[in-house]
Amino acid sequence: MKNLVRIVTTAAVAAGLAAQAQQIPQATLDKIAEVGRLKATLLPEEQKMDSALLMRTLKAQGRLPAWLADITDAPAGAATVEIRGTVSDSLVQLIHDVGGTVQSYSVGSGLIQATIPSYEVARISQSADVRQISTNSGATTNSYSPGKVHPLIRMQDPLYQRWEARKLADVKNRKWNRDLPMLASNGLIPAIFSWFADATGIAAVGALTSQGYITHRANYVVNSLGYTGNGVKVGVLSDSASAARVAALIASGDLPANTVVLPGQEGPSTGSDEGTAMMEIISDMAPGAQLYFATAFTSVNSFAANIIALKDAGCTIIVDDVSYFSEGVFQDGPIAQAVNIVTAAGVTYLSSAGNSGNKTQGTSGTWQGDFVSAGAAGGVLTGGGLLHNWGGTVVNVLTLASGNPITLKWSDPLSGSANDYDLYILNSTATTIKRVSTGFQSGTQDPFEVVSGNGLVAGDLIVSLLWSGAPRALNLATNRSRISINTDSVVFGHNAAANTVSVAAVFWNAARRGTVPFIAGSAYKTESFSSDGPRRIFYQPNGTPITPGNVLIGTNGGQVLQKPDITAADGVSTKTPGFNPFYGTSAAAPSAAGIAALVKQVRPAYTPAQMKAALYANSLDIMGTGVDRDAGRGIAMADKAVAYALSH
Amino acid sequence: MKRTSLLLRTLLLTATVTASLKADILLDTGAIAFDGTGPTFTSRPFRDSTPSDWSTAKAFPGLAGAVGPFFYTTITIPLATGAPVYVQVSTDDPFGTVFVSAYHTSFTPGPGFPTGANYLGDAGLSGNPFGNPGFFQVIVPADAPLVLLLTRPTPGVGSPFAVLVEGFADSNFAPLPEPMAYGLSLSVVGVAMLVRRKRNGGVA
């Protein structure tokens, strides 16, 4: 174990924690310390594994104490893993030799996604080409739709609890035997719709149109100025766009007939077709644009590759609504680096800011700040490790549990973390350890720990500790859960990258004014779930420190990016099942992308910087005065952006 | 801007109901509330979580069961249009108990419960998703009045809510022809059906 250095412990912090020293019983602290001692015994190949793979391996070897074995998954028959290191022929051959399958790889990113037998994880990690091997912590789209929301989110979000309670009450009290015969006998069900047969031919553009078409004044640009996005190719990345749904929407006029799904990239068959809902919005805003789709849900590698593929297909506007939980917070990862590549080639890239809440409206589930040792007052971990003081307490209470993973990241470079932090979840009385993430960081791994959100409930306690190394800036993200001690700076990853136009969400009728153009001022505010910024980064994409020797927030290290950049409409109508209305920054991002397509027709040669200038020009200031952490530069408007383009 | 006060027999108005604020707004109730003195149903339409929209006709969802009483009222908006009207109804209901259904031509209740005769659609849900007004869309046949059925259980009495009704010429939010919009501004009528039923001694 490395020595602890530069631990920050002030007298004031220690005094503040003294009264709370019993928040974690000594018996629980002893178990945490036991994990630390176990960690000190790991073999070199075991140090390359993330916590989930490590615990499964140790469990299979009978090396875990009983209490830890009980909360550790049994080794699965096969594990889908991400292998970071050198993508060599010998490593690929080794994966095949052990019965594994390489699903995707990127030599440039040094990343392989593969499925391998669980009992062969250690053999793979023994390869000198392997720097780190970890499970795929997953991804999410950033929609928030009653028909599509993650089941666990739906169960635990107070809004959904109220909806579901009422719906269940209706179901419970419904008397089918009485009602249905009555309705049928009265001829009430089908006959009244006969007049619809005559009405269906009335729709002008598709069966449904996004309200954003009006609220962003795209209708003025299309009808009065004559710009429709004609000649502009817009690429969309989301979970899926099935052939059947695309065909149905083309038939109804809600997607253009020349819509293209890149071969083999329609996404998983279990997908929600969120990509078609996004494309519908763009088509409503810019009906002349040609739309392309590729999935972002296969893997990080595939997502990055598909960004490039859409650029290669001729797309000059690309938009996505996906977040991978493992993406770097303080440095561009593979997805953000793909964004850098396409923007350098002239593509304007937009992404959803995320739906993980914001400080202003009390919905943040993120804590970001520098590590502060709780010192001895926070509890003694025999054998090493210092508990983190979140702000007067060593536990951060989960006040709303979404079911999504909880991640801890810190300000070390990707694939180069030499400071070792760990993450624990305790029950509400701190008497039981429910989750453990204690991956090893010795200089070549990512600064990343993650625990599954499955089975976590409101009241559970989040604990972080520095097992070895130096204080760093920390980012705890609960990904749509909420915590008692929280901060701003929720948006992260490629969704908040320097070259991404990060889009916050505002409901089209938040001001209760109806389907009318947005106005500046206090009438409109961003959605309560819209992720806020800003985003501080400490490293260049290649891992070079932006401010060498200063990687703490308190000393103003790194660089602060103003994120999100702009705001656009959500809660709009689409015809894709499950997305009417379509809530979330997933809907806002294509609303903004549609505006960008209109501008691109006006100025095909616009660089991304010029496009940003147009989108930001005369945007409508909402939330805080001027540029702010919630709405960025405010609501982008099609008429104003095009007017700017016509004169610049 | 033209304002028209309405005397709603079963609605306690806490703000003036306004009509035709803009060409596309057919009704803006402002904040209103049930006062608990009107007629009641033993049941109300089943909330099936599916908002109706302009792309597909929605079948009457049936009834929620006898868990009332549900206070109810209707608001009739004549639409002398000569063409179908694309109507969008937004309900701002922070207390989450009001349920609005749309009918065309007229609303004819059954004995103690609403029926599906002339039913057009509803929001599928009560309450404000993420704090925002819920909304649904229906297409009203040419020259047929739009009738809104508003229901609320006893616990919600007194809680303010608002209903905003917009009308368009197509699914692309094209404005209604000016003569029609003008006519609408003069013809918003509340609870006509309810008043007539009371006069006739109908079931409350």
Side-chain angles (χ1 to χ4, degrees), chain A residues 144-146 149 157 159-160 162-167 169-176 178-180 182-183 186 188-189 192-193 195-196 199-214 219 223 254 284 507-510 512-516 527-529 570-575 580-581 583, chain B residues 22 24-25 28 42-49 51-67 70 84 86 88 90 92 94-97 104 113-121 125-135 137-141 164 166 168-174:
Chain A
Y144 228 153
S145 185
V149 171
D157 189 314
L159 287 166
Y160 285 108
R162 290 202 295 273
W163 280 351
E164 291 300 311
R166 288 196 296 272
K167 197 168 71 175
D170 277 359
V171 171
K172 182 179 178 182
N173 293 308
R174 195 171 187 175
K175 292 181 173 57
W176 290 95
R178 186 200 72 184
D179 296 344
L180 290 182
M182 173 197 71
L183 297 172
N186 290 341
L188 303 180
I189 296 178
I192 59 173
F193 300 110
W195 58 270
F196 257 94
T200 51
I202 295 171
V205 178
L208 290 178
T209 298
S210 164
Q211 286 80 2
Y213 176 63
I214 303 296
N219 62 327
N223 296 324
D254 288 287
D284 289 338
F507 180 58
W508 64 268
N509 191 24
R512 280 82 170 151
R513 299 171 60 241
T515 318
V516 295
E527 291 278 21
S528 59
F529 52 74
D570 84 332
V572 299
S573 297
T574 77
K575 193 167 166 54
N580 189 19
Y583 290 100
Chain B
K22 295 180 176 60
D24 299 330
I25 293 181
D28 182 355
T42 57
S43 183
R44 71 174 173 187
F46 176 66
R47 293 169 296 184
D48 63 0
S49 299
S52 56
D53 64 56
W54 293 329
S55 71
T56 310
K58 179 178 178 178
F60 183 65
L63 299 175
V67 294
F70 293 102
Y86 287 68
Q88 183 169 266
S90 297
D92 185 10
F95 294 91
T97 53
H104 69 86
F113 53 84
T115 69
N118 298 336
Y119 169 85
L120 288 174
L125 294 164
S126 301
N128 287 3
F130 312 110
N132 301 312
F135 70 96
Q137 299 170 327
V138 296
I139 303 175
V140 182
L164 179 71
E166 300 172 274
F168 304 97
D170 61 28
S171 67
N172 224 20
F173 304 103

